[in-house]
Amino acid sequence: MEDVGVDLKHVHIITTPNAEAARDAVSADDLEAFRERARMTERAIFRLINALVAPAEDELGEHLIDVAYAPFAIIESVEISAAWRGRALRLKPMVIIDDAHELHPTQLEDVDLWLRDREIKIARWMLTRIDSLNLEDFRRVLRDEETASPGTNPGRDRVRILLQDTDNRNRQAFRSIAEDVARRYLQPLAAFHRRGSFLSLKNLLNTARPPALSDTDLHILHSENARLIEENQLTSEKIEAMEETYPTDLTLDVKAAVTHIMLERELKRTPQRSLFGVPADVSSEEEQSKVQRHVVIGAELQMLHRFDRPFYFGFERLADAANENIEQFVTLASVLVDRLETQAIRGKPLALDARQQHKAVREQAVDLIAQWDYPYAPQVRKLVDFIGGRCQDLTLRPNAPLSDGANAYGILRSDLENLDPNDELARVLHYALAYQALVLVEPYECKGKTWALLELGGVAIIAKGLTHSRGGFVEGTLRQLKTAVGSAA
């Protein structure tokens, strides 16, 4: 208040009724004494926690004998009289406790319970990272559930706010946010200012032309397709009818890769998304569109793994890899901005082709995973490798049964609920979720069962060469996950 020119003689501390003794204890009637009382308490605590040699437990009372201090229990508001600006103001104080995860779990629980006291009239805001919660509590937060503690009512005494919305994962909305963040990112960089025009990271990345397979690799695809056509005994008319359902803007290599998937499906009689056996004029437009959207991505991913054809380029795929997390987006985008800045300093065109973008982003993803240093990071890396390997196997099946593949590991939700919180796997999952190596999606209804999906985070998806599309998963068990974790060094 002094910083905005309020004279303290116009300020009064409003306390709860019938709290005269407590009011005297905190010197609420004298603002200078009130402030000095708080400073004295802070100094005593600071000396205690920063002592070179910690005092013995039985000596703590001597250090804290004069610092009994409980202002939260009696203060209701702070009033500035009308003498200041002609109108009386009553302000509601708010205490902010940042980095609460630095507390021991028992301390955090005690502080949380204390601040939920209904007798406290001031506003309270406590910030903590997710890794301060155990797996069971974290899942409860995601489901917006709360357990009742003695003297508290769930949903009444505390409101939980996730600073990252995990329920409404609207990628289109996040892309708009990421575009604005990228614009602010580029603005302060002098190398771009010298170009004399407004620069958009989205435009700079999206100017890259789609990559193309070499003639040798394309010949391999055409040869395989010719063999499959012969095995399927398909006429040229059927092949033409099939290819007419593809998007018109496909390059030759993508078209050949999509044809390869469709021919493999016919060979294996995969029913779920087959275009064969149904006349082209009978198939619904919705079904055809669905095949186009997912199968094309699946074909591109298969070419990535078979022929090292770039996949992760363009602004949209960069934004989708961020898991709706601004910090992760900036971390991934920084490597591309650095390369563009180098181009600007050297006076070269501000452009990165598809291969340059793909290579830079994948190397960044691999480096970020290698740098994980939080608790159980080695086990989390093993878990990511296991899930990523299983997803790759499914994605690279010649008939692409999930079209664009999988990026998640599904276990029965009942199995996850029965996982012992003290089990090592529970702690590994706890930190994997807290640091977004994995994303928990539950409940997920599929095949008449209720699943819990452990979806790979965006960084891991790039490192493993998988799709960003959601919903595709491989089925597994907790026992398999425990085996993967148990082999961690």
Side-chain angles (χ1 to χ4, degrees), residues 69-86:
Y69 187 63
F72 295 172
I74 62 167
I75 295 177
E76 284 193 349
S77 60
V78 177
E79 186 177 81
I80 303 177
S81 68
W84 181 49
R85 286 190 174 178

Side-chain angles (χ1 to χ4, degrees), residues 353-369:
D353 63 32
R355 185 165 296 278
Q356 289 173 314
Q357 294 183 38
H358 172 88
K359 183 174 183 291
V361 171
R362 288 204 81 184
E363 288 178 350
Q364 176 80 329
V366 171
D367 288 344
L368 289 173
I369 292 176

Side-chain angles (χ1 to χ4, degrees), residues 118-404:
R118 297 180 199 168
E119 300 303 319
I120 299 179
K121 304 301 181 183
I122 66 174
R124 292 88 80 195
W125 177 272
M126 185 164 66
L127 288 165
T128 177
R129 291 203 306 253
I130 289 177
D131 58 1
S132 66
L133 307 176
N134 60 36
L135 178 61
E136 182 180 356
D137 288 339
F138 177 58
R139 292 179 61 221
R140 193 176 293 116
V141 169
L142 294 180
R143 298 193 301 266
D144 197 24
E145 298 175 357
E146 185 175 346
T147 56
S149 300
T152 67
N153 288 333
R156 172 178 175 177
D157 305 313
R158 175 177 63 180
V159 177
R160 281 173 166 156
I161 300 174
L162 291 175
L163 298 185
Q164 180 180 348
D165 190 350
T166 58
D167 289 331
N168 181 25
R169 300 190 294 171
N170 186 334
R171 281 184 168 163
Q172 191 58 47
F174 181 78
R175 288 176 184 176
S176 299
I177 296 172
E179 186 176 356
D180 181 63
V181 170
R183 177 180 58 81
R184 297 171 185 269
Y185 190 2
L186 294 181
Q187 279 181 343
L189 301 179
F192 295 112
H193 284 177
R194 288 194 289 270
R195 292 301 176 106
S197 61
F198 171 75
L199 296 175
S200 162
L201 182 61
K202 179 179 179 179
N203 293 338
L204 292 175
L205 298 181
N206 287 351
T207 55
R209 297 175 58 185
L213 289 183
S214 67
D215 291 341
T216 301
D217 293 336
L218 186 58
H219 176 72
I220 293 174
L221 268 181
H222 284 315
S223 299
E224 292 175 348
N225 289 348
R227 175 182 56 80
L228 289 170
I229 290 172
E230 183 178 353
E231 291 181 11
N232 284 313
Q233 298 180 349
L234 298 175
T235 64
S236 58
E237 289 77 12
K238 286 188 176 181
I239 297 301
E240 290 175 2
M242 175 184 69
E243 292 180 343
E244 285 178 359
T245 64
Y246 301 169
T248 58
D249 59 347
L250 293 187
T251 58
L252 288 176
D253 55 353
V254 176
K255 184 177 180 179
V258 172
T259 299
H260 185 83
I261 290 175
M262 304 312 296
L263 292 171
E264 287 284 357
R265 288 185 173 185
E266 173 63 10
L267 189 65
K268 292 179 172 55
R269 302 291 183 182
T270 303
Q272 56 262 44
R273 290 181 181 174
S274 176
L275 292 180
F276 304 105
V278 180
D281 56 347
V282 177
S283 298
S284 72
E285 182 178 345
E286 181 180 354
E287 288 175 346
Q288 293 177 5
S289 174
K290 191 173 184 179
V291 170
Q292 294 167 8
R293 183 173 61 252
H294 298 290
V295 175
V296 170
I297 295 176
E300 291 179 329
L301 286 168
Q302 292 197 0
M303 287 191 291
L304 162 64
H305 290 275
R306 289 191 63 190
F307 306 115
D308 195 29
R309 182 184 186 273
F311 178 81
Y312 300 106
F313 62 92
F315 184 83
E316 286 71 22
R317 285 178 178 168
L318 176 68
D320 290 349
N323 287 121
E324 290 77 45
N325 184 298
I326 291 298
E327 182 179 1
Q328 185 161 300
F329 169 75
V330 172
T331 301
L332 288 171
S334 63
V335 66
L336 298 176
V337 173
D338 290 345
R339 282 162 173 73
L340 288 168
E341 186 177 20
T342 301
Q343 300 281 73
I345 292 173
R346 294 176 177 175
K348 295 182 178 181
L350 292 180
L352 295 173
D353 63 32
R355 185 165 296 278
Q356 289 173 314
Q357 294 183 38
H358 172 88
K359 183 174 183 291
V361 171
R362 288 204 81 184
E363 288 178 350
Q364 176 80 329
V366 171
D367 288 344
L368 289 173
I369 292 176
Q371 293 169 14
W372 288 346
D373 62 354
Y374 46 81
Y376 294 95
Q379 289 90 333
V380 172
R381 275 190 285 267
K382 284 287 186 179
L383 201 58
V384 167
D385 287 342
F386 172 74
I387 295 175
R390 289 286 305 275
C391 291
Q392 283 179 357
D393 291 342
L394 187 57
T395 300
L396 298 181
R397 289 182 186 176
N399 64 329
L402 295 182
S403 293
D404 51 357

Side-chain angles (χ1 to χ4, degrees), residues 82-117:
W84 181 49
R85 286 190 174 178
R87 182 170 65 91
L89 297 174
R90 177 165 288 196
L91 309 176
K92 172 74 71 172
M94 180 172 72
V95 57
I96 299 177
I97 300 178
D98 198 5
D99 292 336
H101 49 267
E102 298 290 346
L103 295 170
H104 185 277
T106 304
Q107 293 175 315
L108 178 61
E109 184 178 352
D110 290 342
V111 170
D112 176 54
L113 186 60
W114 165 51
L115 292 180
R116 278 192 272 171
D117 190 341

